[in-house]
Amino acid sequence: MSTAATRTAGPDHLWTVDEHLEDILATVRPLDPIELQLLDAQGCVLVEDVTVPVSLPPFDNSSMDGYAVRVTDVAGASEEYPAVLTVIGDVAAGQAESLHVGPGETARIMTGAPLPPGAEAVVPVEWTDGGLGEGPVTGMRARSQSPEGAGGHVHVYRSAEARAHVRAQGSDVKAGDRALEAGTVLGPPQIALLAAIGRGTVRVRPRPRVVVMSTGSELVQPDEQLGNGQIYDSNSFALTAAARDAGAIAYRVGAVADDAETLRSTIEDQLVRADLMVTTGGVSVGAYDVVKEALSSVGDEDEEGAGIDFRKLAMQPGKPQGFGSIGPDHIPLLALPGNPVSSYVSFELFVRPAIRTLMGLDDVHRPRTRATLTADKALTSPKGRRQFLRGTYADGAVTPVGGAGSHLVAALAFADALIVVPENVESVEPGTEVDVVLLG
């Protein structure tokens, strides 16, 4: 762990949002690359360029169901004066046997089938009588139900230019081309391309494993009965979902009671499956703030200065924060406040960038924009604090949702943006242009 920022900051130091984030991103490093099967690599980041070993398509093939023809044989063809060609057989996709189309001949060809030698173009079946002698048809009958079979004659009612309805070899990508660049996130289209060029595995940085743990004896799991003074545990669900949305493989640990030893042992048990740990709750100054009690004295014996540092940030919500590393593998741990909005805002500002850094992404932050504030009255903000207010963004305007309270979960559910009020601003009038973090 990089500890320069921590060492220079005393216990009473009020950290800025930028200082805290810089400390996190200076510590977290991308995960080591591994080779994964294609479907296991979904959502991962490539660490090397992928070169095309074989052209796509690997051969000239038909883009239509129809007839493979020579251009001169159908020149001038019309419904009044159709070209009449001898059908010499079928060419189906995947068929190894190859026909040769000579003068006055044609072969029925299916979409994706290789263009047979001698043929120069494909006429769609709709331009022919399908071999039935009854005028233009709308489609090609299944082979098993086709009395004309692949023999006899076919009437062609339109001419075709050379290469008409033919997909040329290498028209998608050519052998030797770069298919994908290092740094590409593998989604379904990229995985499709890798499979199409014959790659069964790929070298990537794996999706980070994130363990999310909430603390508090008052927390009850959904579907259980609430007792006096109890509330449902929403933070662990919100942050686990947010970690998955950021690209991680996330594991939710049920709420841990306010007992330091229990918390320490639970964290130790979870380290085996964690590249990053996130706790929520217990980081403030109360007598039962168990995360501070459990982790303040925890350090990495073989790394001087490592451990968890609890600090105050010049922000609202989310003033109390903790960050450091834990365990023999120095797993990064971010300790977030317990109020639901504080927890979620802290995740977006600090945990999401850490996850995306572990993934090896260059752009780790949510997109930002400028928007005009739409509100009934001026927004107020505490002096010296960077405030993040929930809002809805559309068409260059942003509207606050709910109040500034850090417990207002319902308002958070309707927000798709965070309105940023700088530290030196105490009031923002309607119509003012503000910075906005887009959450969608």
Side-chain angles (χ1 to χ4, degrees), residues 288-308:
Y288 291 88
D289 285 326
V290 66
V291 175
K292 287 185 70 172
E293 180 185 352
L295 300 181
S296 289
S297 61
V298 172
D300 294 335
E301 295 179 0
D302 60 338
E303 187 166 340
E304 183 183 355
I308 309 302

Side-chain angles (χ1 to χ4, degrees), residues 63-425:
S63 67
M64 306 287 287
D65 293 326
Y67 290 84
V69 300
R70 290 157 41 99
V71 171
T72 56
D73 290 340
V74 296
S78 66
E79 289 199 32
E80 186 176 1
Y81 300 106
V84 182
L85 304 177
T86 301
V87 181
I88 61 171
D90 277 353
V91 184
Q95 182 175 311
E97 181 182 350
S98 180
L99 301 173
H100 187 280
V101 176
E105 295 178 340
T106 185
R108 291 204 313 176
I109 192 167
M110 314 307 155
T111 302
L115 188 70
E120 301 166 311
V122 173
V123 292
V125 66
E126 295 87 350
W127 297 3
T128 76
D129 69 349
L132 301 177
E134 300 173 359
V137 295
T138 58
M140 193 175 289
R141 293 187 185 184
R143 185 174 184 182
S144 61
Q145 300 174 349
S146 179
E148 72 280 6
H153 295 85
V154 65
H155 290 69
V156 180
Y157 301 118
R158 290 175 63 177
S159 61
E161 296 179 356
R163 312 295 293 176
H165 305 111
V166 174
R167 301 169 179 149
Q169 179 183 10
S171 57
D172 193 352
V173 289
K174 293 181 174 62
D177 286 352
R178 184 168 57 187
L180 296 171
E181 294 182 350
T184 300
V185 180
L186 298 182
Q190 292 76 31
I191 288 175
L193 175 56
L194 289 167
I197 62 175
R199 287 290 295 265
T201 63
V202 68
R203 192 162 177 77
V204 296
R205 295 193 192 277
R207 294 166 62 199
R209 302 164 301 160
V210 177
V211 173
V212 176
M213 184 183 309
S214 56
T215 64
S217 298
E218 78 280 10
L219 298 178
V220 174
Q221 298 308 300
D223 288 333
E224 294 181 7
Q225 189 68 37
L226 283 179
N228 290 333
Q230 294 182 321
I231 60 173
Y232 287 118
D233 172 19
S234 63
N235 283 358
S236 66
F237 286 91
L239 300 188
T240 301
R244 291 175 179 173
D245 181 70
I249 298 170
Y251 304 105
R252 190 190 74 87
V253 179
V256 180
D258 289 323
D259 177 77
E261 282 304 319
T262 300
L263 178 60
R264 264 195 294 262
S265 64
T266 303
I267 288 176
E268 289 172 359
D269 289 344
Q270 294 296 324
L271 284 175
V272 68
R273 63 172 181 173
D275 297 308
L276 176 70
M277 295 204 69
V278 180
T279 66
T280 171
V283 295
S284 191
V285 293
Y288 291 88
D289 285 326
V290 66
V291 175
K292 287 185 70 172
E293 180 185 352
L295 300 181
S296 289
S297 61
V298 172
D300 294 335
E301 295 179 0
D302 60 338
E303 187 166 340
E304 183 183 355
I308 309 302
D309 179 52
F310 291 90
R311 53 189 65 159
K312 297 176 182 177
L313 269 62
M315 65 179 286
Q316 186 183 50
K319 180 180 180 181
Q321 301 281 339
F323 171 64
S325 64
I326 189 168
D329 295 323
H330 315 303
I331 302 300
L333 184 147
L334 283 89
L336 310 184
N339 279 320
V341 176
S342 302
S343 174
Y344 183 73
V345 169
S346 299
F347 181 97
E348 288 292 338
L349 296 179
F350 307 125
V351 183
R352 183 182 174 91
I355 289 173
R356 297 180 73 78
T357 298
L358 287 167
M359 293 175 67
L361 290 165
D362 293 328
D363 186 5
V364 301
H365 302 289
R366 289 284 198 186
R368 291 188 175 226
T369 189
R370 298 280 288 175
T372 302
L373 177 66
T374 302
D376 296 331
K377 59 182 180 180
L379 301 181
T380 59
S381 185
K383 184 178 180 180
R385 302 277 188 88
R386 187 180 302 180
Q387 183 165 219
F388 297 89
L389 296 168
R390 288 133 290 168
T392 57
Y393 172 83
D395 301 324
V398 65
T399 305
V401 176
S406 56
H407 64 290
L408 302 174
V409 183
L412 186 61
F414 293 100
D416 60 11
L418 295 176
I419 303 168
V420 184
V421 183
E423 291 88 340
N424 60 346
V425 175

